[in-house]
Each structure stands twice: as structure tokens, then as C-alpha cells.
Amino acid sequence: MSTPATLPGVRPDAAARHRPGAILSIILACQLMIVVDATIVTIALPNIQRELGFSPAGLSWVQSAYMLAFGGLLLLGGRAGDLFGRRRVFVGGILLFTFASLLCGLAGAGWWLIAARALQGVGAAFAGPSTLALIATNFAEGPARNRALALFSTMSGAGASVGLILGGMLTSWASWPWVFFVNLPVGLAVAVAAPRLINEPARGTGRVDVAGAATGTAGMTLLVYGFIRAAASGWGDRYTVLSFVGAVLLLGAFLIIQRRAAQPIMPLHLFADRNRSSAYLTMLLLVVSMFGVFFLLTQFLQDVLGFTPLAAGFAFLPMTLGVFGMAQIVPRLLTRYGPRPLVLTGGLLGTAGMAWLTGVTSSTGYVSGLLGPMVLLGIGLGCCVVPLTVTVLSSVPPHESGVASGIQQTMQWVGGSLGLAILVSSADLTHGLAGGAGNAFVLAAIFMACALAVALLGIRPAARG
């Protein structure tokens, strides 16, 4: 097995101070901060609306501005890390995210908060792809990398629940600006420690594909905006339709540019590998299924079952514990059986959990109707994420690990926007959340089953030596 000093693409002088535990702690802290920020604000939104005078429609932009900037710039962030140094781009993204968090907490007007949230998204888009890429280049392929990815996936899976709990605590015990100020000590600590401890892989050569970056970023931004707009205004809304038309045209131009560019921002040959392409699509479908359900369950717990925001956050702990528990087991199973059996097992459990949720009604209790599906979904997600990530990063050259990671995270964020739009739009909420969520849960089960089918047909069994 490779030792840290022989990791490909790492400068020898940096490899000499390789400290796996410290490196992983920095990466996990960054990932947790980025994921938590997607949900920690949710609990504070009512207080933000009252103090800053947001309309109901305007309030949604506190979340949407972050998702637009993050989803639209991920590919550019991934490629920038490959060309200019992943550690450098990682630290720069963290500093920008931290500064934007300070601006969010100091916001005295709605436009200020929305602009600062968009700036947070920009910082996250440049820091996010480098987290997975730094794991790929600081941990040798095999058991060491699998363990690191398992802990990374635990942070990603647990972050949403942690955000709800932490948001409830800070909003209840302090005030809403503290859901942003909490990022300051973490961000500064990561930015100071990263240059001292994290190995800097050798940079790629060349320049940024400007035309590809422009069309890809604009097209992805319009695509994410279209999904967000559809959830709020419907799929027939004029601006929703125009957004999707513009996205198709720009992303079509982007693909043409990528085929012709000498140094593309998204190398299309990464999709030539059948296992990697199937892993990308499986991840997209998983997130489409999970994200909207997560949103609807949060509302169901508070609006139907009468949970407080803090209690609703703690109600997701069984799902979090399922992800965490599997993170301890999956690396050993992955070494023995390979990714495919684990993804198929996770897909089966996830589909069963989603099918169970289709029976939710106004008389459903937490223990009798939600606890079981949450446990299945947590275990299923824990089975899937690490093997899919391993499949994506397997055999990727060090100089392309950033863009490969950026594509995966783009799938996750675009999938989240798509899932939220489709599931919330499909839920007939005119007769109440309890009565209207059934359609959404049925669609979620279908998407989860499609993810299972893609994994079954697309991911090849691991070769046995």
C-alpha cells in the first residue's frame, strides 16, 4: 500500500509533513460548515422575515441566492483548484465564505442579506470541490482513502440535521445573526491551519477555459434558477420556461466548447468511464429523491405533529445515526466486496424507506410512521455515498481530481434543486401538508428506484484479483 510520501502528484517537501488526522479534521470542518449552512438558516427564517421586512416570496431568496451561486460556480471552482492549486483555492474559498458570513450577520436590510448569501455561495463553490480533491491527493487509493471518504460522507449526511439543531439552539438562545456568526471561528481556524498541514498537489498547467467557464456557469445558474422558480411559481411560469430554454442553449454551447477546447473546464472523457458516469447519475437521482423529502418532513414535523424547531431537528437524529453507523462499517465492506453490492443494498433500503413514507397521513405519529423510514433512509444513504464517491474518484489523475469532485457536487446541488422543485410542486398542499405530501413521497420512491436501477445496470462488479 502506498505511503503518504509516495502519493502521486504531491510535492516531496509537503509530503514530509503529511499528518492524516490533522488534514482530515480540516477538510471535515470545512465540509460540515458548508453543509450546515444550507439548513441552519431554515430555522431562523421567521425571525429574519420579521426583523428585515421580507415578503414571503422575497424570503425564499435567502436560501435561493446561496444555492444559485453555489450550484452555478462549482465547475469553475473545481477547475480553478486544479490549475491554481487546490490548497490555495480551498483557503481562498473558506476566507470568502467566512467574510460573507460576517456580512450576513451584520445585514440590516433584505438586499444586503441576499447579496451576502450569494457571496457565501461563491466561497462555498470554490472551497467545496477542493475538499474531495484534497482527500484524493492526500490519501492513497484503497483503505486509507475509503476511511477518509466514509468520515467525509458522515459529515455531509449529518450536516443537515446538525444545521437544524444548531439553528434552533442559536435562534432560541441568542438571535438570528448568530446562525452566521458561528461560521467565523471555524472558518478562520481552517484558513490558518490548512497552509501549515495540508499537502499541496502539483498544479495543472494551462489557463482557465474562459468560454467554457462562462457558458457552463451561466447555463448551470439558469438551470438551478429554473428549478427554484418552478417550485415557487409553477412549471408554466414564463420566467421558469425562459430559464430552462436559456439553460439548454447555454449548456448545449458549453458541451460543444468542451469537445473542442484544448484544456476544457469539464473534461468529457471523465464520462467515458461507464462506472463513473453511472455513479454520477446514481448520485443525482439519490439527491433528487432525498432533498425534497427532507424539506417536506421538516415541515410535517412542525406543522402537523406540532414539534418545535429544536425538536424537529432532533427528530432527524435516527437518520443521522444511520449514516454515521454505516460510515464505521462501509470502508471494511468496500475493501472486501467493492462498491456495487453496497450501492445496491443502499438503494434497496432507501426505496423501501421511501415506499413506507407514501402511507403518511394526518394521523401518522412519529414513532409509528416516521421513525422506521428515517432509519432505513439513513442506513441506505450511508451504504451508497462512500462507494459512489470512491467510484467517481477511482483512477482519476491527480490534476483532474478537483474537476471530478466538482462534477459530483454539481450533481448533488442541481439534484437538490430539482428534487425540491419537483416534489414540492407535485405535493397538493391546498388541502394541507399531511394530505398533499403523498404524491411527493410516491415520486421520491420512484426516483430512488431509478437510482437503484442505474446502479444495477451501469456499475460493473469489482474485479477480483
Side-chain angles (χ1 to χ4, degrees):
M1 182 173 63
S2 298
T3 64
T6 61
L7 288 174
V10 179
R11 295 203 306 262
D13 61 317
R17 53 195 173 93
H18 186 81
R19 301 176 187 175
I23 291 170
L24 191 57
S25 297
I26 293 169
I27 293 171
L28 295 182
C30 171
Q31 179 66 8
L32 183 62
M33 184 170 62
I34 290 174
V35 174
V36 162
D37 208 71
T39 57
I40 192 173
V41 181
T42 304
I43 302 297
L45 287 177
N47 289 19
I48 292 173
Q49 183 176 14
R50 285 192 298 270
E51 290 196 23
L52 298 186
F54 276 106
S55 66
L59 187 65
S60 66
W61 279 100
V62 177
Q63 290 289 63
S64 299
Y66 181 78
M67 293 179 68
L68 273 172
F70 194 2
L73 292 170
L74 269 169
L75 286 177
L76 180 59
R79 189 57 175 159
D82 288 337
L83 292 179
F84 304 123
R86 277 182 283 281
R87 189 178 65 189
R88 175 183 292 182
V89 172
F90 173 79
V91 172
I94 286 295
L95 287 174
L96 181 58
F97 182 92
T98 305
F99 175 66
S101 297
L102 175 63
L103 293 180
C104 286
L106 296 175
W111 65 266
W112 180 343
L113 180 57
I114 290 173
R117 283 288 280 168
L119 194 62
Q120 266 191 318
V122 175
F126 281 85
S130 292
T131 53
L132 276 176
L134 287 170
I135 288 178
T137 51
N138 281 269
F139 294 87
E141 190 167 350
R145 183 183 296 181
N146 293 347
R147 285 193 296 271
L149 289 174
L151 289 172
F152 179 89
S153 300
T154 299
M155 289 296 112
S156 301
S161 296
V162 171
L164 290 171
I165 296 169
L166 188 58
M169 289 179 175
L170 292 172
T171 304
S172 301
W173 299 343
S175 57
W176 69 261
W178 282 96
V179 304
F180 301 108
F181 289 152
V182 72
N183 292 327
L184 302 185
V186 179
L188 290 175
V190 169
V192 169
R196 300 172 181 270
L197 297 172
I198 291 181
N199 298 322
E200 176 69 281
R203 302 180 196 174
T205 57
R207 296 177 297 178
V208 173
D209 171 19
V210 177
T215 54
T217 299
M220 196 63 67
T221 300
L222 279 179
L223 184 64
V224 175
Y225 174 75
F227 291 140
I228 295 170
R229 180 83 187 187
S233 305
W235 295 95
D237 175 74
R238 179 175 65 177
Y239 292 106
T240 299
V241 174
L242 288 175
S243 296
F244 284 127
V245 170
V248 169
L249 294 175
L250 284 169
L251 292 176
F254 171 72
L255 291 176
I256 294 172
I257 291 170
Q258 297 311 284
R259 288 180 62 88
R260 298 176 177 177
Q263 296 177 320
I265 193 172
M266 187 182 75
L268 297 182
H269 66 81
L270 289 174
F271 295 91
D273 183 276
R274 172 177 160 178
N275 281 1
R276 186 177 299 116
S277 296
S278 299
Y280 280 142
L281 182 54
T282 302
M283 181 70 77
L284 176 69
L285 292 168
L286 280 175
V287 178
V288 167
S289 178
M290 290 293 298
F291 200 92
V293 166
F294 186 85
F295 174 83
L296 288 171
L297 284 178
T298 303
Q299 305 305 310
F300 185 90
L301 288 166
Q302 296 181 68
D303 296 343
V304 179
L305 299 186
F307 282 32
T308 64
L310 188 57
F314 277 108
F316 282 91
L317 275 180
M319 187 183 297
T320 303
L321 292 175
V323 175
F324 180 79
M326 292 311 300
Q328 315 308 307
I329 301 170
V330 163
R332 294 192 295 273
L333 298 177
L334 191 58
T335 301
R336 183 171 181 180
Y337 299 108
R340 188 171 184 267
L342 291 170
V343 175
L344 296 182
T345 300
L348 283 171
L349 292 174
T351 302
M354 290 297 183
W356 194 341
L357 283 176
T358 60
V360 167
T361 66
S362 58
S363 60
T364 297
Y366 174 73
V367 174
S368 62
L370 299 182
L371 181 58
M374 284 184 171
V375 171
L376 288 178
L377 290 172
I379 295 174
L381 192 62
C383 283
C384 290
V385 175
V386 176
L388 289 173
T389 305
V390 167
T391 303
V392 165
L393 294 177
S394 179
S395 303
V396 173
H399 68 277
E400 291 184 338
S401 58
V403 70
S405 304
I407 294 171
Q408 174 173 325
Q409 295 193 39
T410 298
M411 294 290 179
Q412 293 172 336
W413 281 88
V414 171
S417 301
L418 175 61
L420 185 61
I422 293 179
L423 268 62
V424 173
S425 298
S426 67
D428 182 9
L429 302 183
T430 56
H431 301 294
L433 180 62
N439 291 339
F441 292 142
V442 169
L443 276 178
I446 292 172
F447 280 119
M448 186 68 76
C450 289
L452 173 61
V454 170
L456 177 64
L457 299 175
I459 299 178
R460 295 186 178 95
R464 297 186 179 278

